[in-house]
Amino acid sequence: MNDIRCTQCGVVGLEPGFVEDSGQGARGFARWVEGALQRGPLGGARLMGRPRWQIDAFRCPNCAHLELFAAQRS
């Protein structure tokens, strides 16, 4: 149990989880990248040298609202 409060309904004790990325070549989890999206010549996101952060996701057991936090650099 944690003390994270749902910003939608106010319930305390959100369920931990993660956001899956199942796209081609994906590592299986999504990350937050600092700065606006910049596309490379082939249409993919430019990531070289840009900080990436693990996304921690929490689901409210009452209203199913998701709270996302980028708390740890990956």
Side-chain angles (χ1 to χ4, degrees), residues 4-66:
I4 300 173
R5 182 177 300 276
C6 177
T7 58
Q8 190 71 27
C9 72
V11 163
V12 174
L14 303 186
E15 301 170 339
F18 66 97
V19 178
E20 179 187 25
D21 181 0
S22 58
Q24 184 177 6
R27 294 183 180 177
F29 59 92
R31 291 174 295 179
W32 180 82
V33 179
E34 187 177 307
L37 173 64
Q38 297 174 349
R39 295 191 182 272
L42 300 176
R46 287 188 178 185
L47 300 173
M48 190 69 109
R50 297 175 77 178
R52 296 176 194 121
W53 297 74
Q54 173 184 314
I55 297 173
D56 295 327
F58 295 86
R59 180 185 172 276
C60 177
N62 184 55
C63 72
H65 178 74
L66 291 179

